[in-house]
């Protein structure tokens, strides 16, 4: 009987450790906006916020971030950038390649002074997309 208990405890520990090794974070979007550079290379203004309800998954086991929009946006993570924190923000950033092979930087920013609101920034050389996100 004692060995059965030991076996059961080891089984639960094995399942618990499995979950720790692969992390998947799920978010929903509530809106997005776009910022583009003009012909002279200067940043314009943010577009009006458009309401949108999409799923976003950060999968550290598969090293990717997926935005489930009408056209799925798949970002393969090339490098995990060290977490940054200051008085106003907590920032997790990732260097990525998108579906088309273009390099970009994705950042999940938590705004400390805005009720810990979260945003996903997708930064390219000539445009930036921001999604307001929340954890599900």
């Amino acid at each position: 009987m004692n060995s059965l208990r030991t076996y059961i405890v080891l089984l639960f520990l094995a399942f618990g450790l499995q979950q720790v090794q692969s992390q998947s974070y799920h978010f929903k979007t509530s809106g997005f906006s776009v910022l583009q550079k003009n012909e002279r290379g200067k940043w314009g203004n943010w577009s009006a916020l458009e309401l949108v309800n999409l799923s976003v998954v950060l999968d550290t086991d598969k090293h990717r971030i997926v935005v489930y929009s009408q056209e799925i946006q798949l970002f393969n993570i090339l490098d995990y950038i060290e977490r940054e924190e200051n008085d106003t923000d907590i920032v997790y950033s990732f260097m990525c390649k998108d579906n088309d092979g273009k390099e970009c930087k994705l950042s999940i920013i938590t705004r400390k002074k805005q009720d810990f609101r979260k945003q996903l920034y997708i930064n390219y050389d000539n445009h930036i997309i921001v999604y307001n996100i929340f954890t599900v």
Side-chain angles (χ1 to χ4, degrees):
M1 189 66 161
N2 215 5
S3 64
L4 181 61
R5 286 185 187 165
T6 304
Y7 179 74
I8 292 171
V9 168
L10 288 175
L11 188 65
F12 280 116
L13 285 174
F15 282 120
L17 291 176
Q18 259 316 14
Q19 219 171 10
V20 170
Q21 291 175 354
S22 67
Q23 289 286 328
S24 191
Y25 303 90
H26 297 266
F27 304 94
K28 285 284 192 184
T29 65
S30 59
F32 81 99
S33 184
V34 178
L35 178 66
Q36 293 186 334
K37 282 188 178 177
N38 63 23
E39 308 80 43
R40 295 181 183 162
K42 303 245 183 212
W43 290 105
N45 295 318
W46 285 101
S47 67
L49 184 71
E50 292 188 40
L51 301 180
V52 65
N53 182 12
L54 306 173
S55 293
V56 176
V57 176
L58 164 59
D59 188 334
T60 59
D61 186 42
K62 294 180 180 177
H63 306 290
R64 67 183 189 184
I65 299 171
V66 183
V67 179
Y68 290 94
S69 54
Q70 187 172 357
E71 184 177 320
I72 293 177
Q73 302 171 61
L74 173 64
F75 301 95
N76 289 306
I77 299 172
L78 305 173
D79 191 22
Y80 293 81
I81 299 172
E82 191 172 330
R83 176 182 182 261
E84 299 174 37
E85 184 170 356
N86 57 40
D87 291 341
T88 59
D89 300 320
I90 302 168
V91 182
Y92 293 91
S93 294
F94 315 88
M95 291 306 300
C96 300
K97 274 199 177 177
D98 69 9
N99 304 36
D100 299 323
K102 295 179 187 170
E103 287 195 13
C104 54
K105 179 180 177 182
L106 275 71
S107 298
I108 297 174
I109 302 175
T110 302
R111 307 290 184 185
K112 291 180 179 179
K113 294 185 177 181
Q114 298 177 18
D115 292 327
F116 291 87
R117 177 171 70 108
K118 289 181 176 25
Q119 294 181 303
L120 170 64
Y121 282 81
I122 304 170
N123 295 279
Y124 289 95
D125 291 335
N126 60 353
H127 70 283
I128 301 170
I129 303 166
V130 63
Y131 289 98
N132 290 326
I133 60 174
F134 56 93
T135 307
V136 291

